[in-house]
Amino acid sequence: MSRRGLEPDSGAESLSSDEKELAAGGAEGAGSPEEHPAEASSENSSGSSSEEESDAEESDGRRSDEEQEAKESLPRCNESGVSCLPPCEHCRNENDHKEQVTPRRLAGGQHVVQLDAEGTYQCSLTGLIFEVTGAVKITYSLLSWSKYASLVEKPWIVGGPLFDVRCDSAPALTSIQFPHSLCLGDHGAGMAFKVLHVKGEGAAIEPSADYSASHVKWLVSSLSPVGPLIQSPEPVQYHGAVILYKVVDEHPSLSFRVYVATNNDSFIKDISRAVKHSNKKFIKIDKPPVCQKLLQKGKRYRLICEPEAEITPEEIEFVDGSLLKLKSYIEVYLEKPDDFTLSLVELESDATVWKAKLRESDWIHYDQNKNEQKRSTASVKKRKTALSILEEDELCSKKQKTGNAADGTKTKKLTDQQLMVIAKLFDRQWREIAIECLQMEMKDIEQIQAMENEVNIQKFLVLSKWRDREQSNGTAEALYVSLHEKASYEILQALEGFSARC
């Protein structure tokens, strides 16, 4: 890690007795989980959620929570699935590459990695970096800052995501590096980085060992929720993300929620959870989320739509909403369902911070009038190299049925056409999902990629390999069970539709 500065105070700071009350008991957190447009959210809405509500959500294994968080909480990831900073001329990552490890996903949003030897390892999903002295098993999960809002006192502010880390051999885990969402630029020397370490009913602000353009290093003292904090004499600049959700209803018009957030996994997980608790139904629109210019607290931004749309509010003042229970958003409404372009513009400089073109194909899998997924008419394009792999795995007839002697029912195996529909719905994390959920081997995926250039065909072949391995259990229902903790809402809806037609 490249040293960027020293801590002005190396001692741990103990919080006062008043600060030792978790935000879980805050009265302001007793309101509805429904969030409000941006002008309705302010600093005084930072009341954190109740302990019971948050704990229930942390342990809830239902797919509607898990799949969205898995998909939406990693805007830093590139196509290979490895966490990386967005392009920034001021603070690119140092060329200090760590060994990448892909965790196994457990119920309740937890991840687990088994490290077999001494070394420094980076989680490919969360960006966490672990330094260990021997073989260990580490379990960790992403938490919400809003639950601990009362423990973060000015002048300290949130610097990155909050994690709960556990280890089966605590002495072997010597340090953890937490990813942060700040652009240090030329002001790193004036910043102070520490970590908030939650301990039972209270917390302490502990020193960091070092920090870089992307991470804050902490020497492990004990294991419980920990996250980076920052103190800066100058306005802080953030790597930002813009996240889009579309309302799914029976109206032909289009309605969207646009969230402007720091590139902080805890913040983005909170957004996913807020959408889940809304009384409306949403789908996430998959557009590049990372802002091309930095966001700065206190600056004003405007969302522009071409052609013109109803936008509420027209302008926002950016604040890091990590500690707020109610997450601000911008509402976009279009009377006619046409293609359109959204741009986020900084008012002071008139510079475009983020821009995306939205087309009907971005949500075509949903029938606006019936509020259900349409059947895809896509057919599989056969290729000679692709078929050679399928033949090796004895591709079965797509019309094969299996009988259940107990109840006389018959279940169809997934057809080639159905697998292609699912393949096209997978996002950039499809390799990790195949390894974690379908128990595919990396060597098999690499073999398919070497013989087939088209990405959708690669995904299709991996799914076909799973289907043929499962034989009579290669059904929509079985694939749903395998993917329900990791796959997107769209994929699970499609599988439900296939199962209903069997």
Side-chain angles (χ1 to χ4, degrees):
M1 172 175 283
S2 175
R3 184 91 177 205
R4 301 290 290 254
L6 297 173
E7 295 295 340
D9 179 9
S10 61
E13 298 181 10
S14 296
L15 299 183
S16 68
S17 58
D18 290 337
E19 294 167 334
K20 290 182 179 180
E21 290 300 323
L22 292 180
E28 292 176 347
S32 167
E34 174 63 48
E35 66 281 31
H36 301 284
E39 73 271 27
S41 272
S42 60
E43 293 294 340
N44 63 8
S45 60
S46 62
S48 59
S49 56
S50 68
E51 191 82 46
E52 293 79 4
E53 176 189 28
S54 181
D55 290 344
E57 289 174 344
E58 291 296 337
S59 62
D60 188 352
R62 292 176 297 180
R63 63 175 178 81
S64 56
D65 194 6
E66 297 296 331
E67 93 241 340
Q68 288 193 8
E69 290 165 9
K71 180 179 178 181
E72 299 160 18
S73 65
L74 300 166
R76 286 189 299 274
C77 290
N78 56 27
E79 191 161 359
S80 67
V82 178
S83 294
C84 59
L85 282 172
C88 178
E89 61 185 7
H90 303 293
C91 59
R92 293 185 182 276
N93 265 323
E94 290 86 356
N95 295 320
D96 184 16
H97 297 297
K98 311 294 188 299
E99 181 175 346
Q100 299 290 319
V101 291
T102 299
R104 184 164 54 91
R105 190 172 180 85
L106 305 178
Q110 296 188 55
H111 299 82
V112 61
V113 290
Q114 178 69 53
L115 307 179
D116 297 326
E118 178 182 4
T120 304
Y121 304 85
Q122 182 169 21
C123 172
S124 62
L125 294 183
T126 64
L128 285 172
I129 298 175
F130 304 108
E131 184 177 359
V132 299
T133 59
V136 294
K137 180 171 137 180
I138 304 173
T139 304
Y140 48 101
S141 58
L142 185 66
L143 302 181
S144 170
W145 274 104
S146 64
K147 179 179 178 181
Y148 306 101
S150 66
L151 300 177
V152 182
E153 295 289 338
K154 292 181 179 180
W156 294 102
I157 60 175
V158 171
L162 179 72
F163 288 92
D164 187 15
V165 182
R166 308 289 175 177
C167 182
D168 65 348
S169 178
L173 178 58
T174 59
S175 74
I176 303 174
Q177 295 179 36
F178 298 91
H180 66 73
S181 54
L182 307 170
C183 176
L184 304 187
D186 300 324
H187 310 296
M191 294 182 178
F193 276 91
K194 294 198 175 184
V195 298
L196 181 75
H197 189 183
V198 179
K199 300 178 179 181
E201 292 298 314
I205 296 178
E206 298 182 358
S208 63
D210 200 357
Y211 66 90
S212 71
S214 60
H215 286 75
V216 179
K217 184 175 182 178
W218 173 65
L219 300 181
V220 176
S221 57
S222 61
L223 292 174
S224 54
V226 179
L229 299 177
I230 184 175
Q231 184 180 140
S232 176
E234 301 183 20
V236 177
Q237 294 182 316
Y238 296 90
H239 296 294
V242 177
I243 303 169
L244 306 174
Y245 287 91
K246 180 186 176 295
V247 176
V248 180
D249 55 27
E250 297 179 355
H251 301 292
S253 57
L254 301 178
S255 181
F256 296 83
R257 283 186 182 178
V258 181
Y259 290 87
V260 182
T262 57
N263 200 343
N264 175 337
D265 288 352
S266 289
F267 194 163
I268 294 169
K269 178 178 180 179
D270 283 349
I271 292 173
S272 172
R273 185 169 293 164
V275 170
K276 170 181 176 282
H277 282 294
S278 174
N279 56 8
K280 296 181 181 178
K281 184 177 181 180
F282 291 88
I283 58 169
K284 185 177 181 292
I285 303 300
D286 188 17
K287 291 295 176 182
V290 177
C291 294
Q292 300 307 305
K293 293 184 68 68
L294 301 172
L295 300 176
Q296 184 172 314
K297 180 180 178 180
K299 284 195 173 183
R300 299 193 67 81
Y301 298 85
R302 174 178 293 164
L303 190 68
I304 298 173
C305 182
E306 298 178 1
E308 188 174 350
E310 294 181 26
I311 299 178
T312 307
E314 296 181 353
E315 299 177 9
I316 62 168
E317 179 179 329
F318 178 74
V319 295
D320 177 17
S322 297
L323 296 176
L324 306 179
K325 181 186 177 185
L326 303 181
K327 304 303 180 184
S328 301
Y329 64 88
I330 303 171
E331 186 176 61
V332 179
Y333 177 81
L334 294 95
E335 189 69 36
K336 297 181 179 179
D338 296 326
D339 296 354
F340 62 98
T341 300
L342 288 177
S343 304
L344 186 68
V345 176
E346 181 187 292
L347 291 183
E348 181 181 339
S349 64
D350 203 33
T352 299
V353 175
W354 171 90
K355 187 174 184 178
K357 175 78 172 181
L358 280 78
R359 305 171 180 85
E360 187 182 5
S361 58
D362 293 323
W363 56 87
I364 193 64
H365 299 290
Y366 285 85
D367 186 330
Q368 291 288 333
N369 295 319
K370 296 182 179 179
N371 192 19
E372 66 180 14
Q373 193 166 18
K374 292 181 177 180
R375 295 188 182 184
S376 172
T377 57
S379 59
V380 181
K381 183 178 180 180
K382 305 290 184 179
R383 297 195 182 191
K384 188 173 182 178
T385 56
L387 285 176
S388 65
I389 299 176
L390 294 178
E391 290 169 356
E392 178 185 343
D393 292 294
E394 297 179 325
L395 178 65
C396 300
S397 169
K398 62 187 178 183
K399 293 184 178 180
Q400 178 180 351
K401 297 181 180 179
T402 60
N404 186 320
D407 58 12
T409 60
K410 292 184 178 181
T411 305
K412 280 186 178 181
K413 288 177 64 175
L414 284 162
T415 67
D416 287 353
Q417 285 77 11
Q418 289 171 335
L419 288 183
M420 179 56 79
V421 171
I422 301 302
K424 289 183 176 181
L425 292 175
F426 272 113
D427 62 8
R428 294 178 179 178
Q429 305 301 316
W430 66 274
R431 303 170 191 82
E432 293 170 357
I433 294 176
I435 294 171
E436 293 178 45
C437 302
L438 304 182
Q439 288 73 53
M440 303 300 295
E441 297 290 336
M442 190 63 195
K443 63 181 181 180
D444 295 329
I445 297 177
E446 290 175 347
Q447 179 189 9
I448 290 173
Q449 290 180 309
M451 301 181 69
E452 176 56 58
N453 293 326
E454 174 59 41
V455 175
N456 284 332
I457 299 295
Q458 293 172 6
K459 300 175 190 176
F460 166 77
L461 293 174
V462 168
L463 290 171
S464 297
K465 194 175 185 70
W466 169 86
R467 178 187 62 185
D468 300 334
R469 184 192 68 204
E470 295 297 313
Q471 298 182 1
S472 62
N473 198 38
T475 63
E477 182 178 355
L479 187 57
Y480 182 102
V481 170
S482 297
L483 297 178
H484 80 280
E485 289 187 354
K486 190 75 174 177
S488 68
Y489 178 81
E490 293 92 334
I491 289 175
L492 299 177
Q493 283 290 97
L495 289 171
E496 284 182 344
F498 295 153
S499 296
R501 292 198 291 271
C502 289

